[in-house]
Amino acid sequence: MAVVDADHVDRLVEQWRSVRPDLELGPMATFGRLGRLHTHASRAIEEVSRRHGLSIGEFDVLAALRRT
């Protein structure tokens, strides 16, 4: 099994664990990573849209029009 370096979320969870060892922190780690994934994916999607001269909202409207 590969060894993975600790990430930002791991460090936050460890900080919480040091002050509140009684808490179940697995869900916090999951949601923390989902939030970071959302941020990175949103930036990438916005960059692709911007290269084509569109905002995300404009793309959504064009896609809806195309589907109908």
Side-chain angles (χ1 to χ4, degrees):
M1 184 174 214
V3 175
V4 179
D5 292 335
D7 66 2
H8 177 73
V9 173
D10 288 328
R11 289 186 288 276
L12 291 175
V13 168
E14 283 307 312
Q15 289 173 349
W16 272 106
R17 187 169 282 125
S18 72
V19 295
R20 290 294 307 271
D22 57 311
L23 294 178
E24 171 54 47
L25 299 170
M28 182 182 290
T30 299
F31 283 104
R33 286 192 176 85
L34 286 171
R36 290 178 61 81
L37 176 62
H38 176 268
T39 298
H40 290 291
S42 294
R43 286 179 187 159
I45 292 167
E46 288 171 4
E47 175 56 32
V48 170
S49 296
R50 193 172 18 259
R51 277 189 268 153
H52 295 283
L54 299 170
S55 69
I56 297 295
E58 290 168 332
F59 173 80
D60 287 343
V61 169
L62 290 173
L65 291 170
R66 178 62 181 101
R67 287 192 309 269
T68 59

